[in-house]
Amino acid sequence: MSKLLLSVAYFLVATPVGWASRLIHDPLSRRRDRRAQTYWSA
Amino acid sequence: MSELVLGISAYYHDSAAAIVRDGVPAAAAQEERFSRKRHDSSFPAQAVGYCLDELGASLEDVSAVAYYEDPRLKFRRVLATLVGAAPTSVSSFSDTVPRWLGKGGKLRTLEVVRRELESLDRGAVPAIVARRHHESHAASAFFPSPYQSAAVLCVDGVGEWATTTLWHGRGSELTSLAEIRFPHSLGLLYSAFTYFCGFKVDSGEYKLMGLAPYGEPRYADLIRERLIDIKPDGSFHLDMRYFEYLRGHVMTGRAFEKLFDGPRREAEGPLTEREFDLAASVQQVTEEVMLGLARTARERTGESTLCLAGGVALNCVANGKIVDSGIFDELWIQPAAGDAGGALGAALAVAMERGAGRDHVGTGQDAMSGALLGPAFSDAQIADYLRSRGIPHHRLDPADLAGEVAAALADGKIIGWFQNRMEFGPRALGARSILGDPRDPAMQSAINLKTKFRESFRPFAPAVLAQDAKDYFDLSQESPYMLLVAQVAAAQQLPVTDSGATGIDLLHVQRSTIPAVTHVDCSARVQTVSAVGNPGYHELLSAFKARTGCPVLVNTSFNVRGEPIVNSPHDAYTCFMRTNIDMLAMGNFLLHKSEQPAWTEEGDWRTEIPLD
């Protein structure tokens, strides 16, 4: 896999997918929820 | 016929192999000890070979192979991280994706492991199964512990998604109760400060912990306000705007620099008050989180004992704080708490699933054999080595060895102590150790600078006879694996007048009757030694006590800075000759430096061993 191809895939696929998915749910839970009582998940 | 399960951890750092026989750890070793490359991450071919040899087994005798994490799940996390960090992670994306995809990529780790095992030519390879990273840690923490039931906490950098997990161990079962997920990681927070203070990630964390007592925690509030939100139950959330590890190959960047007064310290650069204070601050926050997690573990399980594993469980200062807090009656920490121990944990998890028992429970002993699970060398093997090289030596009666070595130690000599099976895990516990007299104020500096060639600020740890531990340390339980820090007992402390010393100079102030193992805050990382775990070592400590009245020795790993701990007689002799170790006790053989021929070797070994 050439670096150029990967970079193209990154900007054309990964970036829009990343943006779109963050609108629905950020898998990395970056936004702090000030009302949360705990950060444990079951 | 015994059932054997082989566990493997590899391809990140500290590759290792372990064999569990009927649910009991029978052999385990890190690849670095054979390859002589510190933290070697390659497939542990030599460690697997050793484990099979130790059991006299072929791969056909092994029921299953357990790999310590789930590569597919891990890839999903890596991909989610890269996509989640878009558009700022392009270079990381194009570096990382090819390493995972394609033939032989990390996504196909289990196939690669199979091929590697096949290439060993040790018989047909059985089924290979993957366990989750934290399940491997939890299994390594609970199943070999002496407890019938216990709370289990695993805290590390990251495996697949989990960075912190809470489990309930009962009998042969582990139940997952809760987790905290990447990128929110106590281990990575600690590693970020390790990196920022100029030390290597995944190995320099010890140095940061050792540095902390020199500083004041003046950044702790800032860390709590900006970097980490800690809930009363110990759970936490990191503000990722201050970290770089989602985007690239470094831990911190400009935002971190702005917060903590300028650029990171360069590797091997001068240590300033800022680094001392950063170390003290992140250590304080880490302890606060660990205490919160421990309280939750107690509340959620109702258990009175706690088992720990994961890289953060090697933070023996935090472990000592948990003991002092009284949240639990007792702690048991897996001696190979880092990723090497994942090999053992994965094998144990599979063995338990296949019906193995925990027969050691009820005996009061754990199932780790004192962590002495590595290769041993018989007197015949050592004699062959010494004779083949024409190395001058004295063969002693076993009854005389401890007395002779104790006399030399009391005389201020530094001893290389090579006995028994090699330790599994990062600590030397009296099988591959360098020993000295802890009463000598000059010993700490002598071993650091002239023997191990490492930084002068680094403390040394005491080994103490278990029955005398309370006379020397404020320790309410045994610490056989040197994973608890305790204060030196008041009776051993000496009055200290304010000399005005700061930073590294604090080290030169004598604070106790055992100055070589007393850190600047009067703490010590204690190993309690009982006759059951390591009889020869216990005998040596007893002989030293009989001669001097002091049941304590300086114990540090048998290696120089950047080198893995010695494994074989040749490794030990080489290290002995390269350093100012005065005497080498190998099996029942004693070697005096003054009788050895001059040491010559091609090249400069000090430039060939990379700094850690």
PDB file of all heavy atoms in Angstrom, chain A residues 3 6 10 14-15 18 22 28-32 36-41, chain B residues 83-84 86-87 89 93 95 178-179 183-184 229 231 233 235 237 293:
ATOM      1  N   LYS A   3       2.007   5.107   0.334  1.00  0.00           N
ATOM      2  CA  LYS A   3       1.672   6.161   1.292  1.00  0.00           C
ATOM      3  C   LYS A   3       0.670   7.129   0.680  1.00  0.00           C
ATOM      4  O   LYS A   3      -0.235   7.622   1.361  1.00  0.00           O
ATOM      5  CB  LYS A   3       2.949   6.895   1.696  1.00  0.00           C
ATOM      6  CG  LYS A   3       3.503   6.349   2.986  1.00  0.00           C
ATOM      7  CD  LYS A   3       4.362   7.353   3.679  1.00  0.00           C
ATOM      8  CE  LYS A   3       4.463   6.860   5.129  1.00  0.00           C
ATOM      9  NZ  LYS A   3       5.507   7.312   5.879  1.00  0.00           N
ATOM     10  N   LEU A   6      -2.811   5.713   0.708  1.00  0.00           N
ATOM     11  CA  LEU A   6      -3.331   5.738   2.082  1.00  0.00           C
ATOM     12  C   LEU A   6      -3.753   7.149   2.477  1.00  0.00           C
ATOM     13  O   LEU A   6      -4.774   7.353   3.133  1.00  0.00           O
ATOM     14  CB  LEU A   6      -2.275   5.221   3.050  1.00  0.00           C
ATOM     15  CG  LEU A   6      -2.193   3.702   3.171  1.00  0.00           C
ATOM     16  CD1 LEU A   6      -0.914   3.297   3.886  1.00  0.00           C
ATOM     17  CD2 LEU A   6      -3.399   3.163   3.928  1.00  0.00           C
ATOM     18  N   TYR A  10      -7.338   8.378   3.474  1.00  0.00           N
ATOM     19  CA  TYR A  10      -7.502   9.045   4.769  1.00  0.00           C
ATOM     20  C   TYR A  10      -8.387  10.287   4.624  1.00  0.00           C
ATOM     21  O   TYR A  10      -9.340  10.469   5.378  1.00  0.00           O
ATOM     22  CB  TYR A  10      -6.121   9.426   5.313  1.00  0.00           C
ATOM     23  CG  TYR A  10      -6.171  10.126   6.648  1.00  0.00           C
ATOM     24  CD1 TYR A  10      -6.336   9.408   7.820  1.00  0.00           C
ATOM     25  CD2 TYR A  10      -6.054  11.515   6.729  1.00  0.00           C
ATOM     26  CE1 TYR A  10      -6.392  10.046   9.052  1.00  0.00           C
ATOM     27  CE2 TYR A  10      -6.105  12.160   7.948  1.00  0.00           C
ATOM     28  CZ  TYR A  10      -6.275  11.420   9.102  1.00  0.00           C
ATOM     29  OH  TYR A  10      -6.328  12.060  10.321  1.00  0.00           O
ATOM     30  N   ALA A  14     -11.607   8.285   5.630  1.00  0.00           N
ATOM     31  CA  ALA A  14     -11.492   8.296   7.098  1.00  0.00           C
ATOM     32  C   ALA A  14     -11.964   9.630   7.690  1.00  0.00           C
ATOM     33  O   ALA A  14     -12.684   9.641   8.694  1.00  0.00           O
ATOM     34  CB  ALA A  14     -10.046   8.023   7.502  1.00  0.00           C
ATOM     35  N   THR A  15     -11.570  10.719   7.070  1.00  0.00           N
ATOM     36  CA  THR A  15     -11.900  12.016   7.666  1.00  0.00           C
ATOM     37  C   THR A  15     -13.416  12.268   7.678  1.00  0.00           C
ATOM     38  O   THR A  15     -13.963  12.568   8.740  1.00  0.00           O
ATOM     39  CB  THR A  15     -11.131  13.134   6.929  1.00  0.00           C
ATOM     40  OG1 THR A  15      -9.740  12.838   7.056  1.00  0.00           O
ATOM     41  CG2 THR A  15     -11.424  14.493   7.540  1.00  0.00           C
ATOM     42  N   GLY A  18     -15.016   9.957  10.136  1.00  0.00           N
ATOM     43  CA  GLY A  18     -14.698  10.394  11.494  1.00  0.00           C
ATOM     44  C   GLY A  18     -15.590  11.540  11.926  1.00  0.00           C
ATOM     45  O   GLY A  18     -16.163  11.524  13.021  1.00  0.00           O
ATOM     46  N   ARG A  22     -18.639  11.262  14.753  1.00  0.00           N
ATOM     47  CA  ARG A  22     -18.545  12.051  15.982  1.00  0.00           C
ATOM     48  C   ARG A  22     -19.844  12.827  16.255  1.00  0.00           C
ATOM     49  O   ARG A  22     -20.152  13.134  17.391  1.00  0.00           O
ATOM     50  CB  ARG A  22     -17.367  13.020  15.902  1.00  0.00           C
ATOM     51  CG  ARG A  22     -16.192  12.537  16.746  1.00  0.00           C
ATOM     52  CD  ARG A  22     -14.983  13.390  16.553  1.00  0.00           C
ATOM     53  NE  ARG A  22     -14.332  13.098  15.278  1.00  0.00           N
ATOM     54  CZ  ARG A  22     -13.398  13.866  14.716  1.00  0.00           C
ATOM     55  NH1 ARG A  22     -13.031  14.994  15.303  1.00  0.00           N
ATOM     56  NH2 ARG A  22     -12.825  13.517  13.577  1.00  0.00           N
ATOM     57  N   LEU A  28     -14.468   7.612  21.307  1.00  0.00           N
ATOM     58  CA  LEU A  28     -13.396   7.923  22.253  1.00  0.00           C
ATOM     59  C   LEU A  28     -13.904   8.749  23.448  1.00  0.00           C
ATOM     60  O   LEU A  28     -13.097   9.119  24.318  1.00  0.00           O
ATOM     61  CB  LEU A  28     -12.260   8.666  21.544  1.00  0.00           C
ATOM     62  CG  LEU A  28     -11.665   7.939  20.327  1.00  0.00           C
ATOM     63  CD1 LEU A  28     -10.635   8.814  19.622  1.00  0.00           C
ATOM     64  CD2 LEU A  28     -11.032   6.608  20.719  1.00  0.00           C
ATOM     65  N   SER A  29     -15.188   9.010  23.469  1.00  0.00           N
ATOM     66  CA  SER A  29     -15.816   9.755  24.593  1.00  0.00           C
ATOM     67  C   SER A  29     -14.973  10.947  25.037  1.00  0.00           C
ATOM     68  O   SER A  29     -14.655  11.091  26.222  1.00  0.00           O
ATOM     69  CB  SER A  29     -16.027   8.832  25.806  1.00  0.00           C
ATOM     70  OG  SER A  29     -16.694   7.683  25.429  1.00  0.00           O
ATOM     71  N   ARG A  30     -14.634  11.802  24.081  1.00  0.00           N
ATOM     72  CA  ARG A  30     -13.729  12.888  24.439  1.00  0.00           C
ATOM     73  C   ARG A  30     -14.410  14.023  25.199  1.00  0.00           C
ATOM     74  O   ARG A  30     -13.782  14.719  25.958  1.00  0.00           O
ATOM     75  CB  ARG A  30     -13.047  13.438  23.176  1.00  0.00           C
ATOM     76  CG  ARG A  30     -11.846  12.596  22.791  1.00  0.00           C
ATOM     77  CD  ARG A  30     -11.345  12.931  21.438  1.00  0.00           C
ATOM     78  NE  ARG A  30     -12.250  12.430  20.414  1.00  0.00           N
ATOM     79  CZ  ARG A  30     -11.934  12.367  19.130  1.00  0.00           C
ATOM     80  NH1 ARG A  30     -10.772  12.796  18.713  1.00  0.00           N
ATOM     81  NH2 ARG A  30     -12.791  11.890  18.257  1.00  0.00           N
ATOM     82  N   ARG A  31     -15.708  14.188  24.917  1.00  0.00           N
ATOM     83  CA  ARG A  31     -16.389  15.297  25.600  1.00  0.00           C
ATOM     84  C   ARG A  31     -16.691  14.902  27.043  1.00  0.00           C
ATOM     85  O   ARG A  31     -17.243  13.849  27.308  1.00  0.00           O
ATOM     86  CB  ARG A  31     -17.681  15.643  24.856  1.00  0.00           C
ATOM     87  CG  ARG A  31     -18.319  16.905  25.401  1.00  0.00           C
ATOM     88  CD  ARG A  31     -19.355  17.458  24.457  1.00  0.00           C
ATOM     89  NE  ARG A  31     -18.747  17.916  23.210  1.00  0.00           N
ATOM     90  CZ  ARG A  31     -19.450  18.260  22.141  1.00  0.00           C
ATOM     91  NH1 ARG A  31     -20.766  18.173  22.164  1.00  0.00           N
ATOM     92  NH2 ARG A  31     -18.853  18.681  21.054  1.00  0.00           N
ATOM     93  N   ARG A  32     -16.311  15.806  27.919  1.00  0.00           N
ATOM     94  CA  ARG A  32     -16.538  15.516  29.338  1.00  0.00           C
ATOM     95  C   ARG A  32     -17.994  15.786  29.698  1.00  0.00           C
ATOM     96  O   ARG A  32     -18.525  16.836  29.356  1.00  0.00           O
ATOM     97  CB  ARG A  32     -15.607  16.419  30.143  1.00  0.00           C
ATOM     98  CG  ARG A  32     -15.704  16.254  31.615  1.00  0.00           C
ATOM     99  CD  ARG A  32     -14.513  16.972  32.248  1.00  0.00           C
ATOM    100  NE  ARG A  32     -14.853  17.519  33.542  1.00  0.00           N
ATOM    101  CZ  ARG A  32     -14.051  18.290  34.236  1.00  0.00           C
ATOM    102  NH1 ARG A  32     -12.876  18.637  33.741  1.00  0.00           N
ATOM    103  NH2 ARG A  32     -14.399  18.745  35.413  1.00  0.00           N
ATOM    104  N   ALA A  36     -22.127  13.625  34.729  1.00  0.00           N
ATOM    105  CA  ALA A  36     -21.916  12.189  34.987  1.00  0.00           C
ATOM    106  C   ALA A  36     -21.475  11.952  36.438  1.00  0.00           C
ATOM    107  O   ALA A  36     -20.676  12.720  36.982  1.00  0.00           O
ATOM    108  CB  ALA A  36     -20.853  11.654  34.034  1.00  0.00           C
ATOM    109  N   GLN A  37     -22.026  10.912  37.047  1.00  0.00           N
ATOM    110  CA  GLN A  37     -21.639  10.561  38.414  1.00  0.00           C
ATOM    111  C   GLN A  37     -20.394   9.674  38.409  1.00  0.00           C
ATOM    112  O   GLN A  37     -19.694   9.598  39.400  1.00  0.00           O
ATOM    113  CB  GLN A  37     -22.787   9.779  39.094  1.00  0.00           C
ATOM    114  CG  GLN A  37     -24.083  10.558  39.217  1.00  0.00           C
ATOM    115  CD  GLN A  37     -23.949  11.715  40.194  1.00  0.00           C
ATOM    116  OE1 GLN A  37     -23.520  11.527  41.317  1.00  0.00           O
ATOM    117  NE2 GLN A  37     -24.279  12.925  39.744  1.00  0.00           N
ATOM    118  N   THR A  38     -20.184   9.013  37.283  1.00  0.00           N
ATOM    119  CA  THR A  38     -19.065   8.071  37.208  1.00  0.00           C
ATOM    120  C   THR A  38     -18.606   7.928  35.752  1.00  0.00           C
ATOM    121  O   THR A  38     -19.371   8.189  34.831  1.00  0.00           O
ATOM    122  CB  THR A  38     -19.483   6.684  37.753  1.00  0.00           C
ATOM    123  OG1 THR A  38     -18.347   5.810  37.709  1.00  0.00           O
ATOM    124  CG2 THR A  38     -20.611   6.065  36.933  1.00  0.00           C
ATOM    125  N   TYR A  39     -17.357   7.541  35.575  1.00  0.00           N
ATOM    126  CA  TYR A  39     -16.861   7.220  34.227  1.00  0.00           C
ATOM    127  C   TYR A  39     -16.696   5.704  34.048  1.00  0.00           C
ATOM    128  O   TYR A  39     -16.157   5.255  33.045  1.00  0.00           O
ATOM    129  CB  TYR A  39     -15.526   7.929  33.974  1.00  0.00           C
ATOM    130  CG  TYR A  39     -15.655   9.438  33.921  1.00  0.00           C
ATOM    131  CD1 TYR A  39     -15.025  10.236  34.861  1.00  0.00           C
ATOM    132  CD2 TYR A  39     -16.421  10.060  32.942  1.00  0.00           C
ATOM    133  CE1 TYR A  39     -15.141  11.622  34.826  1.00  0.00           C
ATOM    134  CE2 TYR A  39     -16.538  11.445  32.900  1.00  0.00           C
ATOM    135  CZ  TYR A  39     -15.905  12.216  33.847  1.00  0.00           C
ATOM    136  OH  TYR A  39     -16.029  13.578  33.800  1.00  0.00           O
ATOM    137  N   TRP A  40     -17.097   4.932  35.033  1.00  0.00           N
ATOM    138  CA  TRP A  40     -17.094   3.480  34.856  1.00  0.00           C
ATOM    139  C   TRP A  40     -18.173   3.105  33.840  1.00  0.00           C
ATOM    140  O   TRP A  40     -19.243   3.704  33.834  1.00  0.00           O
ATOM    141  CB  TRP A  40     -17.455   2.756  36.155  1.00  0.00           C
ATOM    142  CG  TRP A  40     -16.396   2.680  37.213  1.00  0.00           C
ATOM    143  CD1 TRP A  40     -16.386   3.338  38.398  1.00  0.00           C
ATOM    144  CD2 TRP A  40     -15.220   1.864  37.200  1.00  0.00           C
ATOM    145  NE1 TRP A  40     -15.274   3.000  39.127  1.00  0.00           N
ATOM    146  CE2 TRP A  40     -14.544   2.095  38.420  1.00  0.00           C
ATOM    147  CE3 TRP A  40     -14.658   0.962  36.280  1.00  0.00           C
ATOM    148  CZ2 TRP A  40     -13.340   1.456  38.746  1.00  0.00           C
ATOM    149  CZ3 TRP A  40     -13.468   0.335  36.602  1.00  0.00           C
ATOM    150  CH2 TRP A  40     -12.824   0.588  37.817  1.00  0.00           C
ATOM    151  N   SER A  41     -17.912   2.112  33.018  1.00  0.00           N
ATOM    152  CA  SER A  41     -19.004   1.547  32.224  1.00  0.00           C
ATOM    153  C   SER A  41     -19.073   0.055  32.543  1.00  0.00           C
ATOM    154  O   SER A  41     -18.059  -0.555  32.903  1.00  0.00           O
ATOM    155  CB  SER A  41     -18.797   1.782  30.732  1.00  0.00           C
ATOM    156  OG  SER A  41     -17.567   1.245  30.334  1.00  0.00           O
TER     157      SER A  41
ATOM    158  N   VAL B  83      -9.372   7.301  12.960  1.00  0.00           N
ATOM    159  CA  VAL B  83     -10.508   7.959  12.296  1.00  0.00           C
ATOM    160  C   VAL B  83     -11.050   9.076  13.198  1.00  0.00           C
ATOM    161  O   VAL B  83     -11.351  10.175  12.745  1.00  0.00           O
ATOM    162  CB  VAL B  83     -11.609   6.925  11.958  1.00  0.00           C
ATOM    163  CG1 VAL B  83     -12.877   7.602  11.491  1.00  0.00           C
ATOM    164  CG2 VAL B  83     -11.098   5.953  10.888  1.00  0.00           C
ATOM    165  N   GLY B  84     -11.102   8.771  14.483  1.00  0.00           N
ATOM    166  CA  GLY B  84     -11.612   9.766  15.428  1.00  0.00           C
ATOM    167  C   GLY B  84     -10.738  11.002  15.499  1.00  0.00           C
ATOM    168  O   GLY B  84     -11.221  12.088  15.801  1.00  0.00           O
ATOM    169  N   ALA B  86      -9.086  12.211  12.935  1.00  0.00           N
ATOM    170  CA  ALA B  86      -8.999  12.851  11.616  1.00  0.00           C
ATOM    171  C   ALA B  86      -9.508  14.296  11.721  1.00  0.00           C
ATOM    172  O   ALA B  86     -10.453  14.547  12.476  1.00  0.00           O
ATOM    173  CB  ALA B  86      -9.838  12.065  10.611  1.00  0.00           C
ATOM    174  N   PRO B  87      -8.953  15.226  11.016  1.00  0.00           N
ATOM    175  CA  PRO B  87      -7.932  15.101   9.972  1.00  0.00           C
ATOM    176  C   PRO B  87      -6.503  15.341  10.453  1.00  0.00           C
ATOM    177  O   PRO B  87      -5.650  15.708   9.647  1.00  0.00           O
ATOM    178  CB  PRO B  87      -8.354  16.203   9.001  1.00  0.00           C
ATOM    179  CG  PRO B  87      -8.884  17.298   9.894  1.00  0.00           C
ATOM    180  CD  PRO B  87      -9.458  16.621  11.102  1.00  0.00           C
ATOM    181  N   SER B  89      -4.411  13.107  11.893  1.00  0.00           N
ATOM    182  CA  SER B  89      -3.614  11.904  12.166  1.00  0.00           C
ATOM    183  C   SER B  89      -3.121  11.226  10.895  1.00  0.00           C
ATOM    184  O   SER B  89      -2.898  10.032  10.888  1.00  0.00           O
ATOM    185  CB  SER B  89      -4.462  10.920  12.982  1.00  0.00           C
ATOM    186  OG  SER B  89      -5.687  10.663  12.310  1.00  0.00           O
ATOM    187  N   PHE B  93      -1.771   7.494  10.489  1.00  0.00           N
ATOM    188  CA  PHE B  93      -2.629   6.592   9.719  1.00  0.00           C
ATOM    189  C   PHE B  93      -1.805   5.830   8.682  1.00  0.00           C
ATOM    190  O   PHE B  93      -1.886   4.599   8.583  1.00  0.00           O
ATOM    191  CB  PHE B  93      -3.723   7.418   9.035  1.00  0.00           C
ATOM    192  CG  PHE B  93      -4.749   6.605   8.297  1.00  0.00           C
ATOM    193  CD1 PHE B  93      -5.866   6.108   8.951  1.00  0.00           C
ATOM    194  CD2 PHE B  93      -4.608   6.360   6.922  1.00  0.00           C
ATOM    195  CE1 PHE B  93      -6.821   5.367   8.265  1.00  0.00           C
ATOM    196  CE2 PHE B  93      -5.558   5.623   6.236  1.00  0.00           C
ATOM    197  CZ  PHE B  93      -6.666   5.129   6.902  1.00  0.00           C
ATOM    198  N   ASP B  95       1.344   5.303   8.596  1.00  0.00           N
ATOM    199  CA  ASP B  95       2.362   4.420   9.201  1.00  0.00           C
ATOM    200  C   ASP B  95       1.723   3.175   9.806  1.00  0.00           C
ATOM    201  O   ASP B  95       2.271   2.075   9.735  1.00  0.00           O
ATOM    202  CB  ASP B  95       3.098   5.157  10.341  1.00  0.00           C
ATOM    203  CG  ASP B  95       4.066   6.189   9.815  1.00  0.00           C
ATOM    204  OD1 ASP B  95       4.361   6.144   8.615  1.00  0.00           O
ATOM    205  OD2 ASP B  95       4.512   7.045  10.598  1.00  0.00           O
ATOM    206  N   ALA B 178     -16.799  -3.905  35.795  1.00  0.00           N
ATOM    207  CA  ALA B 178     -16.828  -2.553  35.211  1.00  0.00           C
ATOM    208  C   ALA B 178     -15.503  -2.251  34.548  1.00  0.00           C
ATOM    209  O   ALA B 178     -14.489  -2.901  34.843  1.00  0.00           O
ATOM    210  CB  ALA B 178     -17.102  -1.535  36.312  1.00  0.00           C
ATOM    211  N   GLU B 179     -15.530  -1.263  33.644  1.00  0.00           N
ATOM    212  CA  GLU B 179     -14.276  -0.887  32.988  1.00  0.00           C
ATOM    213  C   GLU B 179     -14.262   0.593  32.622  1.00  0.00           C
ATOM    214  O   GLU B 179     -15.307   1.241  32.545  1.00  0.00           O
ATOM    215  CB  GLU B 179     -14.036  -1.732  31.732  1.00  0.00           C
ATOM    216  CG  GLU B 179     -15.041  -1.500  30.620  1.00  0.00           C
ATOM    217  CD  GLU B 179     -14.713  -2.287  29.350  1.00  0.00           C
ATOM    218  OE1 GLU B 179     -14.084  -3.354  29.458  1.00  0.00           O
ATOM    219  OE2 GLU B 179     -15.090  -1.823  28.265  1.00  0.00           O
ATOM    220  N   PRO B 183      -9.538   6.521  25.332  1.00  0.00           N
ATOM    221  CA  PRO B 183      -8.171   6.945  25.651  1.00  0.00           C
ATOM    222  C   PRO B 183      -7.970   7.364  27.101  1.00  0.00           C
ATOM    223  O   PRO B 183      -6.916   7.910  27.436  1.00  0.00           O
ATOM    224  CB  PRO B 183      -7.964   8.141  24.720  1.00  0.00           C
ATOM    225  CG  PRO B 183      -9.320   8.770  24.622  1.00  0.00           C
ATOM    226  CD  PRO B 183     -10.296   7.637  24.692  1.00  0.00           C
ATOM    227  N   HIS B 184      -8.986   7.095  27.930  1.00  0.00           N
ATOM    228  CA  HIS B 184      -8.900   7.544  29.324  1.00  0.00           C
ATOM    229  C   HIS B 184      -8.138   6.486  30.117  1.00  0.00           C
ATOM    230  O   HIS B 184      -8.684   5.426  30.425  1.00  0.00           O
ATOM    231  CB  HIS B 184     -10.312   7.802  29.843  1.00  0.00           C
ATOM    232  CG  HIS B 184     -11.051   8.693  28.893  1.00  0.00           C
ATOM    233  ND1 HIS B 184     -10.746  10.033  28.749  1.00  0.00           N
ATOM    234  CD2 HIS B 184     -11.993   8.423  27.952  1.00  0.00           C
ATOM    235  CE1 HIS B 184     -11.494  10.558  27.783  1.00  0.00           C
ATOM    236  NE2 HIS B 184     -12.251   9.597  27.282  1.00  0.00           N
ATOM    237  N   ASP B 229     -10.281  14.465  35.206  1.00  0.00           N
ATOM    238  CA  ASP B 229     -11.419  14.668  36.093  1.00  0.00           C
ATOM    239  C   ASP B 229     -11.620  13.369  36.866  1.00  0.00           C
ATOM    240  O   ASP B 229     -11.861  12.321  36.262  1.00  0.00           O
ATOM    241  CB  ASP B 229     -12.660  15.014  35.251  1.00  0.00           C
ATOM    242  CG  ASP B 229     -13.867  15.249  36.132  1.00  0.00           C
ATOM    243  OD1 ASP B 229     -13.694  15.794  37.245  1.00  0.00           O
ATOM    244  OD2 ASP B 229     -14.988  14.880  35.719  1.00  0.00           O
ATOM    245  N   LYS B 231     -13.631  11.189  39.640  1.00  0.00           N
ATOM    246  CA  LYS B 231     -14.875  11.064  40.412  1.00  0.00           C
ATOM    247  C   LYS B 231     -14.566  10.423  41.776  1.00  0.00           C
ATOM    248  O   LYS B 231     -13.535   9.740  41.914  1.00  0.00           O
ATOM    249  CB  LYS B 231     -15.887  10.190  39.649  1.00  0.00           C
ATOM    250  CG  LYS B 231     -16.331  10.786  38.325  1.00  0.00           C
ATOM    251  CD  LYS B 231     -17.126  12.045  38.532  1.00  0.00           C
ATOM    252  CE  LYS B 231     -17.587  12.630  37.211  1.00  0.00           C
ATOM    253  NZ  LYS B 231     -18.060  14.021  37.355  1.00  0.00           N
ATOM    254  N   ASP B 233     -15.552   7.819  42.998  1.00  0.00           N
ATOM    255  CA  ASP B 233     -15.383   6.357  42.910  1.00  0.00           C
ATOM    256  C   ASP B 233     -14.093   5.953  42.178  1.00  0.00           C
ATOM    257  O   ASP B 233     -13.918   4.792  41.833  1.00  0.00           O
ATOM    258  CB  ASP B 233     -16.604   5.716  42.242  1.00  0.00           C
ATOM    259  CG  ASP B 233     -16.769   6.144  40.785  1.00  0.00           C
ATOM    260  OD1 ASP B 233     -15.914   6.912  40.278  1.00  0.00           O
ATOM    261  OD2 ASP B 233     -17.753   5.710  40.155  1.00  0.00           O
ATOM    262  N   SER B 235     -13.153   6.609  39.230  1.00  0.00           N
ATOM    263  CA  SER B 235     -13.198   6.618  37.761  1.00  0.00           C
ATOM    264  C   SER B 235     -12.768   8.003  37.269  1.00  0.00           C
ATOM    265  O   SER B 235     -12.846   8.987  38.009  1.00  0.00           O
ATOM    266  CB  SER B 235     -14.597   6.261  37.261  1.00  0.00           C
ATOM    267  OG  SER B 235     -15.529   7.244  37.643  1.00  0.00           O
ATOM    268  N   HIS B 237     -11.589  10.721  33.683  1.00  0.00           N
ATOM    269  CA  HIS B 237     -11.741  11.123  32.286  1.00  0.00           C
ATOM    270  C   HIS B 237     -10.611  12.093  31.967  1.00  0.00           C
ATOM    271  O   HIS B 237     -10.382  13.048  32.704  1.00  0.00           O
ATOM    272  CB  HIS B 237     -13.107  11.811  32.117  1.00  0.00           C
ATOM    273  CG  HIS B 237     -13.429  12.204  30.722  1.00  0.00           C
ATOM    274  ND1 HIS B 237     -12.991  13.386  30.151  1.00  0.00           N
ATOM    275  CD2 HIS B 237     -14.168  11.580  29.765  1.00  0.00           C
ATOM    276  CE1 HIS B 237     -13.446  13.467  28.909  1.00  0.00           C
ATOM    277  NE2 HIS B 237     -14.156  12.383  28.644  1.00  0.00           N
ATOM    278  N   LEU B 293     -10.144   3.834  43.166  1.00  0.00           N
ATOM    279  CA  LEU B 293     -10.471   2.560  42.491  1.00  0.00           C
ATOM    280  C   LEU B 293     -10.543   1.430  43.510  1.00  0.00           C
ATOM    281  O   LEU B 293     -11.437   0.567  43.440  1.00  0.00           O
ATOM    282  CB  LEU B 293      -9.412   2.238  41.424  1.00  0.00           C
ATOM    283  CG  LEU B 293      -9.303   3.200  40.234  1.00  0.00           C
ATOM    284  CD1 LEU B 293      -8.094   2.831  39.368  1.00  0.00           C
ATOM    285  CD2 LEU B 293     -10.571   3.193  39.394  1.00  0.00           C
TER     286      LEU B 293
END
